[in-house]
Amino acid sequence: MTSVSLHIAVLMGGWSAEREVSLMSGNGVADALETHGHRVTRIDMDRTVAARLADVKPDIVFNALHGSPGEDGTVQGLMDLMGLTYTHSGLATSVIAIDKVLTKQTLIPHGIPMPGGRVVRSEEIFAVDPLPRPYVLKPVNEGSSVGIAIVTTDGNYGEPVGRDVAGPWQDFEELLAEPYVRGRELTTAVLGDRALGVTELRPKSGFYDYDAKYTEGMTDHIFPADIPDDITDACKRIALDAHRVLGCSGCSRSDFRWDDERGVDGLFLLEVNTQPGMTPLSLVPEQARHCGISYPDLVQIIVDDAMKAAAS
């Protein structure tokens, strides 16, 4: 890792549904960078972000934003136009990976197993189910399990699906409907060209939604996951393949569902996160720690990767 002191702007916050998590990630990253001797400027992103970055003139921007516009290519395009070096994935990768439909269209032809499904207008689901129950409804362009509903034979976790019932259909005009994959929740972090391992996520109630991800005590993390070696190997191989096919940089995290009654044929990639969380509960720092990489060193590795890419 480099010992050169840099001026690093940490971009965090913003106005997405994941603002609070981004602030936690950003402040953790900033603290870690300072322990490595870097000069850090913390920027809570607002509409003046371009002017603020121009005033700061950082050597590199650490992108700690989650959701839109920090994860969907918008901020990446801005920083490309400004000639700034920044961490994590670039514009094209970000545009594809934030969109679950584009991700499927990119990865499935490369042999990466993902659930089927189709995009439906929210109004349609009040009249007829888009798929046989059980199925999953999720926004096309959100991360961190924001706005997910599992529609069972009894409705959405026992509640009917309807205009006046809380659910993603109230917030999004279009939703992605996917077949529900029973079984277990697995996730694999990729750092550079290395898949770190596989964590099983066991929510204590419901499923692994936004609250379960970011509320301490709501989900048990089992690392390494207590799963057969061939499933561990498949998760790591698929995560690394997806990282490479999408053109991810720095780190990414691939989320899976595994139907443990079907062996490797029951393993499906759900999505690839190009801006994984960096909070105390986040999975990339947790897997890195188990691999002997401290949080400050993880942050430094991500910075080094971006600086090396910019110099090549």
Side-chain angles (χ1 to χ4, degrees):
M1 288 181 291
T2 184
S3 58
V4 176
S5 178
L6 301 170
H7 179 198
I8 304 176
V10 178
L11 200 54
M12 65 182 98
W15 51 85
S16 81
E18 301 173 66
R19 169 179 168 77
E20 295 305 320
V21 175
S22 174
L23 289 172
M24 285 191 286
S25 289
N27 282 309
V29 164
D31 291 344
L33 291 169
E34 288 172 344
T35 69
H36 276 289
H38 299 295
R39 180 161 68 96
V40 176
T41 299
R42 303 171 195 229
I43 298 178
D44 184 348
M45 191 183 75
D46 60 18
R47 304 288 181 178
T48 68
V49 64
R52 295 169 72 187
L53 286 169
D55 288 342
V56 168
K57 296 182 176 65
D59 297 311
I60 183 172
V61 178
F62 194 108
N63 184 359
L65 294 165
H66 303 316
S68 300
E71 197 170 351
D72 64 2
T74 303
V75 163
Q76 288 79 6
L78 170 69
M79 291 192 287
D80 285 343
L81 284 171
M82 296 180 69
L84 294 169
T85 299
Y86 55 92
T87 64
H88 296 80
S89 297
L91 189 156
T93 296
S94 301
V95 168
I96 294 169
I98 195 69
D99 188 300
K100 296 176 177 66
V101 175
L102 290 178
T103 300
K104 289 179 192 288
Q105 292 172 347
T106 302
L107 295 181
I108 290 174
H110 288 267
I112 292 175
M114 301 186 75
R118 64 188 186 91
V119 175
V120 296
R121 290 189 58 78
S122 295
E123 282 289 320
E124 294 177 34
I125 66 173
F126 305 136
V128 62
D129 284 325
L131 298 172
R133 298 191 184 197
Y135 61 89
V136 180
L137 292 170
K138 58 180 72 172
V140 175
N141 293 303
E142 289 283 350
S144 286
S145 301
V146 171
I148 287 184
I150 299 176
V151 182
T152 68
T153 53
D154 296 322
N156 178 29
Y157 274 115
E159 296 292 336
V161 176
R163 292 180 181 83
D164 299 326
V165 178
W169 43 82
Q170 291 186 330
D171 300 313
F172 302 94
E173 290 186 4
E174 290 188 331
L175 295 167
L176 175 62
E178 291 181 340
Y180 174 70
V181 180
R182 67 157 300 280
R184 298 157 71 174
E185 194 95 24
L186 307 174
T187 193
T188 295
V190 173
L191 181 62
D193 59 359
R194 175 188 178 191
L196 298 182
V198 183
T199 299
E200 180 175 2
L201 305 160
R202 295 181 183 169
K204 294 183 179 178
S205 64
F207 69 105
Y208 191 54
D209 60 7
Y210 184 87
D211 289 336
K213 284 186 178 184
Y214 298 116
T215 305
E216 189 167 5
M218 288 188 65
T219 301
D220 290 329
H221 296 186
I222 296 91
F223 186 91
D226 184 15
I227 56 178
D229 289 345
D230 63 335
I231 302 302
T232 295
D233 293 344
C235 285
K236 293 171 73 173
R237 172 181 53 79
I238 292 169
L240 193 55
D241 284 350
H243 182 95
R244 289 170 174 167
V245 170
L246 290 171
C248 298
S249 300
C251 68
S252 68
R253 194 192 75 242
S254 289
D255 296 336
F256 298 87
R257 289 285 291 183
W258 177 47
D259 182 342
D260 51 7
E261 295 180 354
R262 297 177 56 195
V264 73
D265 290 338
L267 182 66
F268 296 90
L269 175 69
L270 298 182
E271 65 178 347
V272 177
N273 299 274
T274 58
Q275 299 279 139
M278 295 288 285
T279 76
L281 297 180
S282 294
L283 291 151
V284 173
E286 185 176 71
Q287 289 192 6
R289 184 171 63 252
H290 282 286
C291 293
I293 303 169
S294 69
Y295 184 91
D297 286 351
L298 169 64
V299 172
Q300 184 65 58
I301 288 168
I302 294 170
V303 169
D304 288 348
D305 179 87
M307 292 296 289
K308 181 179 177 181
S312 63

